[in-house]
Amino acid sequence: MSHSNVVYKISCNDCEASYVGQTKRQLQTRIGEHRKDINKKTGSPSVISIHRIQSSHDFKWNEVEILDEESSYKKRLISEMVNIKKQSYPLNLQNDTLELPEDYLPILNLFPSH
């Protein structure tokens, strides 16, 4: 949880859904923000909060997976998009992957999803 410059995955504890994100900060800081978002009263809720509220599911907060470590912001964004596309049941919004060229999708399907 002390790693920074990572692409990470938070899995639902009650179904196959998952969320993939990236951060340059320490992972524990970003995960703390996700957890706090669930309890905030103003602003728009995150996709994690929406899933938790609508389905009464919780997340594997103590089992967050690091999918990639990359210090370059642009490379980290590409890794995030690739990893979102590799998820079976992603919670991420589709606009999170708009910058990923469609030409890559057949290649991504060669790899098993997480």
Side-chain angles (χ1 to χ4, degrees), residues 5-67:
N5 294 311
V6 297
V7 175
Y8 60 91
K9 174 182 164 182
I10 305 170
S11 297
C12 181
N13 197 46
D14 303 294
C15 72
E16 297 297 314
S18 59
Y19 173 83
V20 172
Q22 66 83 27
T23 185
K24 71 176 184 177
R25 296 172 294 148
Q26 283 194 341
L27 184 55
Q28 64 190 4
T29 302
R30 186 65 186 113
I31 298 307
E33 291 171 347
H34 283 298
R35 294 183 82 165
K36 287 178 189 168
D37 184 79
I38 292 168
N39 297 319
K40 76 178 185 181
K41 304 293 183 211
T42 60
S44 58
S46 70
V47 292
I48 292 174
S49 297
I50 291 169
H51 182 74
R52 187 162 188 251
I53 292 164
Q54 290 179 347
S55 63
S56 297
H57 289 180
D58 203 357
F59 288 84
K60 298 178 181 177
W61 298 111
N62 296 322
E63 299 175 31
V64 175
E65 296 176 58
I66 294 176
L67 303 175

Side-chain angles (χ1 to χ4, degrees), residues 74-87:
K74 288 186 177 185
K75 289 180 182 178
R76 207 167 51 247
L77 286 180
I78 292 168
S79 178
E80 178 189 34
M81 287 186 280
V82 166
N83 279 289
I84 289 169
K85 286 292 190 184
K86 289 171 66 178
Q87 301 307 305

